[in-house]
Amino acid sequence: MKLNKIYKLAQICSKIGSGATPKGGKESYLGGNTSLIRSQNVIDFGFLYNGLALINDEQAHGLDNVTVMTGDVLLNITGDSVARCCKVPSNILPARVNQHVAIIRGDNNIVISDYILYYLQYKKPYLLSLSQGGATRNALTKKMIEDIKIPLPSISEQRHIIDLLSSIDNKIELNRRINDNLIKSVA
């Protein structure tokens, strides 16, 4: 087995950052064509559309520095949902994130975003312990995220790992649906 070089996320990502909430909180979500992703939308390996806020062009322009792009990994960085992460679904773009969600955008030449996602899920216990570092509220800082160490195999090995893990996830989901159907048929 080939040894992988260890990198910090900051070394292999073109973007790591969180956004802001338009002034006025949720009452300021004026509707529009741009999604504002909040921590309640980000779940492990999934995205909850319920409660997705929409902001107008002016508000979106004020958050241009946290524009979400296809393939971005979203990581909750504060509160009880800290360390939950998913990949952004392309059907909600254009989008921005608020201050409770970090965008992690890998350099596509050296890392696949699904690899980052699976690795962050694997490191979730570490991220949870890191987030409890003395603050009154669980939180991960930009620096903490940038300093996360990640072993990085070649792109082809990353694809192989992703395919393997994805196959296992699909089997788990199929078993969950079978169990749900069995429970419904018994009830």
Side-chain angles (χ1 to χ4, degrees):
M1 181 168 154
K2 183 179 165 187
L3 294 177
N4 303 318
K5 186 170 179 188
I6 306 292
Y7 292 89
K8 289 183 177 182
L9 272 180
Q11 295 173 290
I12 62 167
C13 290
S14 60
K15 170 115 183 123
I16 297 175
S18 61
T21 298
K23 292 191 183 341
K26 65 181 177 181
E27 287 75 35
S28 68
Y29 304 148
L30 303 175
N33 297 321
T34 302
S35 302
L36 180 66
I37 301 167
R38 301 176 291 162
S39 60
Q40 70 193 59
N41 304 117
V42 177
I43 60 172
D44 287 332
F45 290 112
F47 189 88
L48 290 179
Y49 293 85
N50 190 24
L52 182 64
L54 294 173
I55 56 176
N56 65 29
D57 291 343
E58 183 181 334
Q59 292 170 310
H61 180 68
L63 296 171
D64 275 348
N65 62 327
V66 287
T67 298
V68 180
M69 300 175 88
T70 301
D72 284 351
V73 173
L74 305 174
L75 175 67
N76 284 352
I77 57 174
T78 62
D80 292 338
S81 66
V82 70
R84 289 192 317 208
C85 62
C86 69
K87 229 170 86 174
V88 66
S90 58
N91 65 335
I92 65 154
L93 299 178
R96 307 294 188 269
V97 295
N98 75 1
Q99 73 272 20
H100 304 291
V101 181
I103 298 168
I104 301 174
R105 183 176 304 138
D107 177 340
N108 292 332
N109 295 314
I110 56 175
V111 67
I112 301 171
S113 59
D114 285 321
Y115 183 80
I116 294 172
L117 174 62
Y118 275 113
Y119 189 75
L120 290 174
Q121 287 293 331
Y122 165 71
K123 296 299 282 185
K124 187 168 184 168
Y126 168 73
L127 296 174
L128 288 170
S129 68
L130 192 63
S131 72
Q132 296 170 356
T136 57
R137 183 177 191 188
N138 295 344
L140 294 169
T141 66
K142 180 178 180 180
K143 177 81 170 116
M144 289 174 181
I145 298 167
E146 290 173 338
D147 286 346
I148 294 170
K149 293 180 180 163
I150 181 171
L152 198 63
S154 69
I155 291 283
S156 63
E157 289 175 276
Q158 289 176 50
R159 278 195 188 95
H160 179 70
I161 292 166
I162 292 163
D163 289 346
L164 202 63
L165 293 172
S166 180
S167 174
I168 293 168
D169 285 343
N170 291 338
K171 287 177 183 177
I172 291 169
E173 177 58 22
L174 177 61
N175 285 339
R176 187 198 61 74
R177 283 185 288 174
I178 289 170
N179 286 338
D180 287 350
N181 286 335
L182 288 171
I183 290 169
K184 287 177 187 172
S185 68
V186 172

